[in-house]
Amino acid sequence: MPTNASSPTAESVGGTPSAHTLSDVTASDSTLRRFLHGLPGVDAVGLEARAASLGTRSIKTTAKAYAIDLAISMVDLTTLEGADTPGKVRALGAKAVRPDPTDRTTPATAAVCVYPDMVATAKEAVAGSTVKVASVATAFPAGRAPISVKLADVREAVAAGADEIDMVIDRGAFLAGDYMKVYDEIVAVKEACGASARLKVIFETGELSTYDNIRRASWLGMLAGADFIKTSTGKVAVNATPANTLLMLEAVRDFRAQTGIQVGVKPAGGIRTTKDAIKFLVLVNETAGEDWLDNHWFRFGASSLLNDLLMQRQKLATGRYSGPDYVTVD
């Protein structure tokens, strides 16, 4: 591996920045910029072709049953609406803990994801289970607020018991090339999370315009200490896609190869069917590897996905689809 410290964009075999350079790239705005713009450019045609190819893999019978249960265990069951009520959040928590009350072999979801003011209610609803409580923060979804407000948002959620914080980056700063501002905000939010809460960093990939920007944002988030990198808020027209998730999976794979640090990935928004979820699991397995096939390292940000997973699970078990009342309408 190269040991040339003269440039923050020195590369190892395969075009990935060497581990030796990573300790220096955030020393200043100029070194960070040179590093991010020195990352290999994304072959958009190749990326989309590979994502499409992996999406055609056929998963049958036993493997499909395993994939469905794995996907259920990876769901961050989410409600992020202005009309959220304590009753709705309690019902969501109960569903996360026991997605199918008629079948106790159904795994619990990974987490419920709510606004900060609903964290205490969600925490009470999932008490005694393995289900985590995640909270969006930092002026979600736009991220347009002073840093003091964003950090207060995070601290309030953590104090209420949030196990995970989903923050949004300042896309305006990123697109203007002010990478150090984005980096510093992620570092500050990570510190506000303390030792008790893991940090997911949302890029809003649909607003970043290019695959090169998504790659840069992925490395920026990981350099700043993200525990997860996340595609989207689910509040814009373009959310998680196989191609942008594949690109982020490549980033976490390469980052671990260079640093030894494993970072999770969370596609969010637009993943509604079992077929979609299985395509994403194939992407994980074929790109990052089996180490990421666990809900500690991969999540689905979703609301309606769980219902389809449950219906497909029962179809495999009984040979027929359930009636419309089999699953709750979230």
Side-chain angles (χ1 to χ4, degrees):
M1 190 170 289
T3 57
N4 177 16
S6 62
S7 168
T9 59
E11 295 178 358
S12 64
V13 176
T16 304
S18 68
H20 179 81
T21 66
L22 295 184
S23 61
D24 302 323
V25 298
T26 59
S28 69
D29 185 68
S30 61
T31 58
L32 182 57
R33 179 185 303 276
R34 284 201 303 272
F35 174 83
L36 294 176
H37 284 267
L39 292 168
V42 178
D43 174 359
V45 173
L47 178 74
E48 291 174 358
R50 176 163 170 76
S53 174
L54 290 173
T56 64
R57 297 284 177 87
S58 180
I59 306 296
K60 302 294 184 183
T61 321
T62 304
K64 185 175 181 180
Y66 169 78
I68 288 173
D69 277 7
L70 183 60
I72 291 171
S73 77
M74 291 174 165
V75 169
D76 280 3
L77 194 57
T78 302
T79 184
L80 298 170
E81 303 299 334
D84 287 344
T85 65
K88 181 179 180 181
V89 171
R90 282 192 288 268
L92 198 74
K95 184 171 182 177
V97 172
R98 189 168 293 170
D100 183 353
T102 70
D103 186 350
R104 290 177 176 268
T105 68
T106 307
T109 70
V112 290
C113 186
V114 295
Y115 277 113
D117 64 320
M118 290 292 177
V119 168
T121 301
K123 194 75 175 177
E124 182 180 344
V126 302
S129 75
T130 60
V131 178
K132 305 295 185 184
V133 174
S135 178
V136 296
T138 64
F140 178 95
R144 312 305 305 181
I147 185 62
S148 59
V149 173
K150 294 180 180 182
L151 294 179
D153 207 20
V154 174
R155 293 184 184 115
E156 179 178 329
V158 173
D163 303 294
E164 300 167 357
I165 294 295
D166 290 31
M167 73 166 285
V168 288
I169 66 165
D170 184 335
R171 280 89 75 193
F174 181 90
L175 292 170
D178 194 352
Y179 302 128
M180 188 55 74
K181 179 182 179 182
V182 179
Y183 173 85
D184 286 342
E185 285 198 356
I186 297 171
V187 170
V189 171
K190 175 71 172 175
E191 183 178 355
C193 287
S196 61
R198 298 176 80 202
L199 175 63
K200 306 191 196 91
V201 177
I202 309 169
F203 302 139
E204 200 68 289
T205 51
E207 294 184 346
L208 296 188
S209 302
T210 69
Y211 289 130
D212 286 338
N213 275 343
I214 295 171
R215 174 170 280 171
R216 289 170 189 145
S218 297
W219 279 84
L220 180 59
M222 294 186 293
L223 288 167
D227 296 300
F228 266 80
I229 53 176
K230 177 178 172 181
T231 61
S232 330
T233 63
K235 302 295 187 181
V236 298
V238 179
N239 293 289
T241 68
N244 62 34
T245 304
L246 172 58
L247 183 56
M248 291 166 64
L249 287 164
E250 290 175 346
V252 298
R253 176 199 64 197
D254 294 344
F255 188 77
R256 189 179 73 167
Q258 298 304 313
T259 67
I261 299 170
Q262 187 162 339
V263 176
V265 175
K266 179 179 174 180
I271 306 171
R272 297 183 177 89
T273 69
T274 299
K275 183 181 291 187
D276 289 339
I278 290 175
K279 286 180 181 179
F280 278 85
L281 293 180
V282 171
L283 288 179
V284 176
N285 187 62
E286 296 297 321
T287 307
E290 291 185 8
D291 287 352
W292 272 266
L293 284 174
D294 182 281
N295 68 14
H296 196 72
W297 300 113
F298 192 78
R299 300 281 182 84
F300 292 107
S303 52
S304 60
L305 171 62
L306 180 59
N307 287 345
D308 193 69
L309 289 166
L310 293 173
M311 293 182 73
Q312 294 296 332
R313 189 178 192 273
Q314 202 209 34
K315 170 67 163 54
L316 283 180
T318 67
R320 56 185 173 78
Y321 283 106
S322 304
D325 297 327
Y326 175 65
V327 294
T328 57
V329 178
D330 301 322

